[in-house]
Amino acid sequence: MTIKVNILTIQENLAAQQALLKWYEQHGRVLPWRAHYSQKADFYHVVVSEFMLQQTTVSTVIPYFKKFIEKWPDFKALSEASLDDVLQQWQGLGYYRRARFLWQSAKILKNSIPTSLREWQGLPGFGPYMVAAVGSIAFEAPLIALDGNLKRIFSRLFKENDEKQLRALAQSYLHESRTGDINQALMDLGSGVCTPKAPKCFDCPLQHFCKSYQEKGVAFYPAKKIKPVKPTRYVYAYKWVLEGKIVLEKREGQGLLQGGLMGVPLSGFMDQKPENFIIHVKHTFTHFHLYVHVCVDKQPLMNSAYTWVALNKLEDVALPVLMQKIIKNKD
Ligand code: SF4
């Protein structure tokens, strides 16, 4: 595939960035992990916030970020915390793998900061987006942090729908100074101006450089994708409660609902609805819906992975949202 060249001239590109940066200085969001544009960002704050912001909105992250930073103010403090404590603090944010990766990365970053792209990519949880976001915001690395918001902006700006072309065009758009501010300005633009529906083009600093706007074609970019229908899966959950205590197990491994999190015992997931299955709880994951039949009538068949936990101590335990719904279910 031939990679297209940036359709803006060097002068247009520079003028677009100046307009964007000026807009950011006036309209950029004030966020607890973000430094003023004239100051250097706190590396630890950038890493924690970028882990939290994956798949999660800014408004949800803000209170979690503040509490997290208060409890563990730097990489050293976080690296000395127990994983159970970190997971418990993460409770409600979901995608607990991020918490484990952050904790593992803290153990490395407390001693040294990677100096090459390869080392960055070797850190737990640091995919291309994380490397670009952290690298540019904390160290001015010349990398574009291409998430969904930025892809939408560049798709409209360059009238391009192909993912590989977009990545190359977006990278060629970036100049080598203030790369962190440019990425953050684009994040803000995507969140408040170049929105998925009804973009506010009249307020946009890139209006004069935006090919789809100039050619009255904004509605065609990015091309609409047909969303695949999510399948439904079924599971039995065993809620054994006796004398104010409930049986929980620590779910080991890396998969869904695992990675050191606690929960009531579950059967395996099933693709077909079993006979007499009653749907007590519904929950939606990224790739499927899960219907849960909560069994409360059987005596526990205890094994070494199970433990009794007092119901009034559950707030001290890292419980995923699905488990909270199952435990609260009254049937
Ligand atoms: Fe997005 Fe409109 Fe700005 Fe183009 S002019 S980048 S479509 S907000």
Side-chain angles (χ1 to χ4, degrees):
M1 181 178 69
T2 316
I3 297 292
K4 290 181 193 167
V5 289
N6 189 337
I7 51 180
L8 298 178
T9 63
I10 292 174
Q11 286 78 7
E12 282 176 324
N13 218 18
L14 279 171
Q17 292 196 8
Q18 274 159 12
L20 180 68
L21 287 170
K22 197 169 164 203
W23 174 86
Y24 179 62
E25 288 163 15
Q26 290 167 354
H27 303 285
R29 290 173 291 183
V30 176
L31 299 170
W33 49 84
R34 201 178 256 186
H36 185 264
Y37 63 85
S38 62
Q39 288 166 356
K40 199 170 159 20
D42 181 305
F43 175 38
Y44 176 66
H45 290 186
V46 175
V47 171
V48 173
S49 64
E50 287 300 335
F51 269 105
M52 288 186 169
L53 286 164
Q54 289 168 30
Q55 316 272 354
T56 311
T57 60
V58 164
S59 57
T60 302
V61 165
I62 288 174
Y64 280 92
F65 174 83
K66 286 182 176 169
K67 272 200 246 162
F68 201 93
I69 294 297
E70 205 179 304
K71 195 167 170 76
W72 299 299
D74 51 33
F75 286 121
K76 185 171 179 299
L78 180 57
S79 70
E80 287 165 2
S82 74
L83 179 58
D84 280 349
D85 268 1
V86 176
L87 291 171
Q88 205 254 329
Q89 199 72 13
W90 206 268
Q91 195 172 320
L93 264 183
Y95 301 100
Y96 289 83
R97 237 157 62 103
R98 299 176 297 171
R100 196 156 13 93
F101 283 149
L102 170 57
W103 178 74
Q104 289 167 345
S105 290
K107 289 180 182 295
I108 301 167
L109 294 171
K110 72 172 176 179
N111 294 323
S112 65
I113 296 171
T115 51
S116 70
L117 201 55
R118 210 188 167 129
E119 281 179 71
W120 276 108
Q121 287 164 342
L123 288 172
F126 276 71
Y129 173 81
M130 270 294 283
V131 172
V134 172
S136 65
I137 298 170
F139 303 108
E140 299 290 342
L143 297 169
I144 197 89
L146 202 61
D147 68 353
N149 276 334
L150 269 70
K151 279 184 197 162
R152 182 172 60 254
I153 296 172
F154 285 111
S155 173
R156 290 170 174 168
L157 209 53
F158 295 124
K159 285 181 61 192
E160 179 59 65
N161 276 317
D162 180 86
E163 176 97 22
K164 273 195 188 151
Q165 299 282 10
L166 265 185
R167 189 163 288 283
L169 286 167
Q171 189 59 45
S172 75
Y173 171 84
L174 199 67
H175 280 238
E176 294 205 359
S177 63
R178 295 188 67 184
T179 56
D181 284 346
I182 288 172
N183 273 315
Q184 291 180 106
L186 289 166
M187 290 171 192
D188 289 6
L189 196 75
S191 145
V193 177
C194 195
T195 46
K197 287 182 190 152
K200 302 174 188 73
C201 299
F202 287 115
D203 296 333
C204 180
L206 300 180
Q207 192 194 90
H208 297 299
F209 312 96
C210 178
K211 298 296 173 191
S212 68
Y213 177 77
Q214 295 298 333
E215 296 172 21
K216 299 189 173 36
V218 173
F220 303 110
Y221 296 93
K224 308 262 177 299
K225 284 188 188 151
I226 300 165
K227 280 193 187 165
V229 178
K230 284 187 188 185
T232 299
R233 299 213 169 111
Y234 303 86
V235 72
Y236 290 103
Y238 301 99
K239 187 174 144 186
W240 293 313
V241 178
L242 202 65
E243 295 170 0
K245 290 181 179 170
I246 185 166
V247 172
L248 297 182
E249 66 173 336
K250 190 179 236 184
R251 302 176 67 84
E252 302 298 346
Q254 304 287 317
L256 199 68
L257 291 174
Q258 300 185 339
L261 297 171
M262 299 291 277
V264 299
L266 297 177
S267 70
F269 290 177
M270 296 163 279
D271 292 332
Q272 301 293 328
K273 186 176 169 192
E275 252 184 75
N276 302 324
F277 187 96
I278 300 165
I279 300 166
H280 295 113
V281 173
K282 290 182 182 176
H283 190 75
T284 297
F285 291 104
T286 317
H287 299 298
F288 64 95
H289 302 291
L290 185 67
Y291 289 175
V292 187
H293 178 134
V294 182
C295 305
V296 289
D297 55 345
K298 290 186 186 149
Q299 282 300 306
L301 303 165
M302 293 301 284
N303 74 32
S304 58
Y306 295 172
T307 175
W308 288 97
V309 176
L311 286 166
N312 61 7
K313 296 276 182 214
L314 283 180
E315 61 198 36
D316 300 335
V317 176
L319 284 172
V321 172
L322 170 65
M323 292 301 170
Q324 294 172 31
K325 285 187 192 173
I326 292 170
I327 291 168
K328 278 187 196 143
N329 177 66
K330 296 276 185 257
D331 284 342

